[in-house]
Amino acid sequence: MMKRLVWTLAALMLVCANLMAQRPNREPSRIVVAYVTSNPTVMPDPSRMTHINYAFGHVNDTFNGVRINNESRLHSITALKKDAPWLKVCLSIGGWGSGRFSEMAATDENRKAFAADCARVVAEFDLDGIDLDWEYPTSSAAGISSSPDDTKNFTILVKEIRKAIGPRKLLTMASPSNARFVDFPDVLPYMDFINVMAYDMGRPPRHNAALYRQDEAGNVSPFARGSADRAIQAHLDAGIPKEKLTLGMPLYGHGDRKNYNDYVDFKDMAAPKEGLTEHWDEIARVPYYADAEGKLVLSFDNVRSITEKCQYIKDKGLLGGMYWEYICDNPSGDLTRTIANQLLPKRIVSAQAVRKASYAGNEKRFRALLYYSDKVEEAHSQFANQAVQFFKKLTVGDGWTLDVSKDKLPSDLFAYDVVIMPDVAPGSKSDRARFQEYMENGGGWLGFHGAGYNDASTGWDWFRDFLGGVSFLCNTWPPQPALIEVDGFDHPVTRNLPSRYVAPSTEYYQWQPDPRSNPDIVVLASLARENFPMGLKDVVFGGDFPVVWTNTNYRMVYINMGHGDESFTDATQNLLFINALRWIVSRSPKGDPFQK
Ligand code: ZN
């Protein structure tokens, strides 16, 4: 018996020794915290992160609970955990300008009620915890109320929330680069980790997020005020151990508000604009664009600076990295992938390959801009507003991106595969010039009704030629339904349409000369002869009457429909609209996105 026991023990020890020998070198388990905001529809790729901070929840109006932006998106974000068991999702409460913290934290009753409501949302939304983003206790810089007692009350609040959500859930917070406003030694026992917002430390002519302010030789960068290194040091000095710190990295830059907007997403940074050049700050370890005099006009981060910041995180032994925010990265994910590759274990990053294959259909196919105006006749504004809804609906499920811009033609048209113009064309000289440049260099245009209107008073010869060399001759009035004859059955825009359909009520323009007389024009639909005479006030008695066409010198379709509130009520006509959009986009100089 004894002998058998010895043998058993020996065998057990052997097994243990084997197990120990086989245990692989564990990769340090660093984390990547991605802020994901409530407005976009794009879904984050969980292989690039371990934590999502959903932004934002807020203190409610009665100071005793939580209000969440876009709850349905939060549900779909937490649903990502099903296929990504490593992923943790927290609700971030606060954000710049998000107030009512001071009032909430001031009384025991409100604090307890708020903490209880945090526990409720954690349970209700299947969350892993709460991230506090009060910017900042005792400060009204963001236009929110504050009190000298905020710091003290914050500590009590943190204890209450911890008590309410329990020890297994995460409680984290965002902290500004100066590490002020919070008694860290008091809150640390209740906090899992602190995200250091090492950005917005300067605006042009200073860097947004320098890594260092000076090098080892003592040379100071002329563009750096604060630095990520100093922000981390400030938090270490405040008594936070390095294992509880993540370094925040911006996926956006700051412009000088002249050459660039204040905030510029990484995805919107093409090559520097004319007259500007890209530089690398050897001391601050970040890139920037400068003008001819060397003045910094855009400060940002790129793959190189992000890689160096990740190396800094590893060298310093920090818990990990954080970034604001996922949607700022470019479509290929250059920055978020870099951060994941630098900091995350291979088992998470390589989950990407599997997901990439099975999620390929979820990649955004293209990007469209809808430009419209309310400062037009009422029936045109009605159509434009319906067009916004119509095209927005077509983006459901994340297939493509639609940006909507009212009265203002965005500066970077080249970011779009197509520009949709319901009932209005660019009016100012500079907008017209930019639109012309865009169209002459591969741009896409889907124009409706009033967008094509031009006459002697328009004073834009290029646009008349663009439309086919035609100007407004006369119109039918009042708006009424019409029998449409579909032309060109071999054309992708009309191939799947019936040869005739009755279009809902609209106003039609007749043109001179006849667009069909221009060899560059392919007519796709016309008014059938049976309609004539058409109109009661303004009567058209006949003649060739094209209503949809393309100028083959450009990537464009003009559609005459678009007056009043009925244009989207016919399924056949809606298909025509969608076909036109699809065809324009399919000929993008970047390649046909529907073939990808
Ligand atoms: Zn009209």
Side-chain angles (χ1 to χ4, degrees):
M1 194 66 175
M2 191 64 188
K3 210 171 186 180
R4 188 178 284 175
L5 187 62
V6 168
W7 272 112
T8 311
L9 273 175
L12 258 178
M13 281 168 75
L14 256 176
V15 170
C16 290
N18 268 337
L19 276 177
M20 285 171 78
Q22 281 167 4
R23 181 186 288 174
N25 287 333
R26 281 191 61 205
E27 296 175 81
S29 55
R30 287 198 187 80
I31 68 169
V32 170
V33 181
Y35 275 91
V36 172
T37 47
S38 57
N39 280 333
T41 50
V42 70
M43 290 302 285
D45 178 345
S47 70
R48 299 182 209 165
M49 62 205 59
T50 54
H51 295 65
I52 288 175
N53 278 349
Y54 181 79
F56 284 108
H58 304 278
V59 179
N60 69 6
D61 292 337
T62 44
F63 313 119
N64 57 358
V66 181
R67 176 174 64 76
I68 301 170
N69 291 349
N70 196 353
E71 295 188 352
S72 70
R73 177 159 162 86
L74 179 54
H75 278 300
S76 43
I77 297 280
T78 49
L80 291 171
K81 295 198 282 183
K82 266 184 277 173
D83 292 326
W86 61 87
L87 185 65
K88 305 220 177 297
V89 180
C90 295
L91 175 67
S92 184
I93 302 176
W96 186 251
S98 180
R100 298 182 290 276
F101 278 100
S102 187
E103 295 89 337
M104 177 271 289
T107 72
D108 196 43
E109 192 186 343
N110 281 345
R111 278 191 302 257
K112 283 203 160 76
F114 180 81
D117 210 35
C118 285
R120 174 193 60 87
V121 299
V122 164
E124 193 175 317
F125 289 85
D126 186 26
L127 296 172
D128 295 282
I130 296 288
D131 173 62
L132 292 174
D133 204 356
W134 179 350
E135 301 185 13
Y136 311 100
T138 70
S139 165
S140 286
I144 61 174
S145 48
S146 66
S147 136
D149 294 332
D150 285 347
T151 299
K152 173 176 65 87
N153 292 339
F154 181 78
T155 303
I156 311 172
L157 173 69
V158 166
K159 284 183 198 169
E160 287 291 353
I161 296 176
R162 173 54 80 195
K163 208 164 101 190
I165 64 175
R168 289 165 182 270
K169 295 293 179 182
L170 292 171
L171 183 54
T172 66
M173 63 173 286
S175 175
S177 55
N178 57 20
R180 285 176 51 203
F181 309 115
V182 168
D183 280 332
F184 283 108
D186 290 347
V187 303
L188 271 179
Y190 310 98
M191 282 279 173
D192 290 282
F193 54 86
I194 315 289
N195 297 307
V196 179
M197 297 186 283
Y199 38 72
D200 298 332
M201 293 182 285
R203 280 177 159 79
R206 309 280 182 187
H207 289 306
N208 176 28
L211 177 51
Y212 297 105
R213 186 160 175 267
Q214 60 180 61
D215 63 12
E216 280 168 8
N219 304 306
V220 176
S221 164
F223 304 121
R225 183 169 286 139
S227 73
D229 180 51
R230 277 174 38 152
I232 291 298
Q233 194 54 52
H235 286 80
L236 294 172
D237 292 346
I240 309 168
K242 61 186 193 311
E243 299 82 8
K244 278 201 170 190
L245 286 177
T246 71
L247 174 65
M249 295 170 271
L251 308 189
Y252 63 90
H254 279 306
D256 60 352
R257 298 171 195 245
K258 218 173 82 196
N259 294 280
Y260 291 93
N261 291 337
D262 181 11
Y263 283 87
V264 187
D265 290 353
F266 178 70
K267 65 173 180 282
D268 296 329
M269 288 168 203
K273 292 181 179 174
E274 209 183 314
L276 305 177
T277 45
E278 180 168 347
H279 301 265
W280 174 260
D281 187 325
E282 290 291 347
I283 299 168
R285 313 305 296 171
V286 282
Y288 62 99
Y289 292 167
D291 65 13
E293 283 94 56
K295 208 174 120 194
L296 184 155
V297 300
L298 179 69
S299 160
F300 60 102
D301 276 80
N302 60 11
V303 169
R304 182 178 176 188
S305 67
I306 288 291
T307 304
E308 293 203 11
K309 285 177 180 178
C310 289
Q311 191 56 51
Y312 174 91
I313 290 166
K314 292 189 265 190
D315 292 346
K316 284 272 174 184
L318 304 181
L319 174 63
M322 173 274 275
Y323 52 80
W324 176 273
E325 62 164 319
Y326 188 81
I327 195 71
C328 301
D329 199 2
N330 62 14
S332 52
D334 287 347
L335 298 186
T336 51
R337 279 182 206 282
T338 298
I339 293 168
N341 286 330
Q342 291 290 323
L343 298 179
L344 294 183
K346 286 191 186 65
R347 70 182 166 87
I348 292 179
V349 180
S350 58
Q352 171 184 327
V354 180
R355 183 165 302 99
K356 181 82 180 160
S358 56
Y359 275 56
N362 276 353
E363 296 277 304
K364 294 263 179 176
R365 290 194 186 273
F366 61 93
R367 196 165 170 198
L369 168 74
L370 190 150
Y371 165 77
Y372 78 113
S373 176
D374 271 345
K375 297 177 193 138
V376 291
E377 64 174 286
E378 195 188 349
H380 290 189
S381 156
Q382 272 174 348
F383 174 76
N385 281 292
Q386 287 191 348
V388 171
Q389 298 310 316
F390 178 79
F391 287 105
K392 251 192 191 156
K393 260 188 194 165
L394 296 175
T395 68
V396 165
D398 233 10
W400 54 288
T401 301
L402 180 72
D403 290 344
V404 175
S405 185
K406 192 161 100 174
D407 295 321
K408 189 173 168 290
L409 195 65
S411 56
D412 193 10
L413 292 178
F414 285 98
Y416 299 100
D417 298 286
V418 61
V419 179
I420 305 166
M421 293 189 186
D423 282 53
V424 73
S428 76
K429 214 174 154 186
S430 63
D431 282 358
R432 288 177 170 186
R434 276 189 296 119
F435 178 66
Q436 178 180 342
E437 188 199 0
Y438 170 68
M439 289 310 302
E440 286 180 341
N441 291 282
W445 185 73
L446 177 58
F448 288 93
H449 194 59
Y453 184 93
N454 77 93
D455 60 22
S457 71
T458 308
W460 193 9
D461 292 346
W462 176 85
F463 186 74
R464 189 192 56 231
D465 292 343
F466 166 71
L467 210 63
V470 302
S471 296
F472 172 83
L473 170 66
C474 60
N475 62 318
T476 63
W477 196 265
Q480 63 184 82
L483 181 63
I484 301 295
E485 199 159 72
V486 173
D487 294 78
F489 288 110
D490 51 352
H491 198 281
V493 174
T494 50
R495 198 155 38 202
N496 55 359
L497 298 181
S499 56
R500 297 178 146 211
Y501 77 95
V502 177
S505 178
T506 194
E507 173 200 24
Y508 289 100
Y509 300 152
Q510 199 168 29
W511 305 84
Q512 65 173 353
D514 182 355
R516 208 186 300 266
S517 64
N518 181 339
D520 293 333
I521 297 299
V522 174
V523 175
L524 299 169
S526 319
L527 287 191
R529 289 178 196 288
E530 288 89 330
N531 292 296
F532 304 119
M534 188 170 170
L536 296 167
K537 173 179 174 283
D538 297 319
V539 186
V540 172
F541 287 94
D544 188 27
F545 206 125
V547 293
V548 182
W549 66 82
T550 176
N551 179 344
T552 53
N553 293 326
Y554 298 93
R555 209 156 56 81
M556 64 83 92
V557 171
Y558 174 67
I559 295 178
N560 198 156
M561 294 82 173
H563 181 105
D565 60 0
E566 292 179 38
S567 292
F568 293 104
T569 58
D570 181 82
T572 303
Q573 183 155 291
N574 290 351
L575 183 59
L576 166 68
F577 296 166
I578 294 168
N579 286 346
L581 175 75
R582 186 188 170 91
W583 178 63
I584 294 165
V585 170
S586 72
R587 292 161 64 236
S588 167
K590 295 176 216 155
D592 179 353
F594 303 110
Q595 299 298 323
K596 285 178 190 163

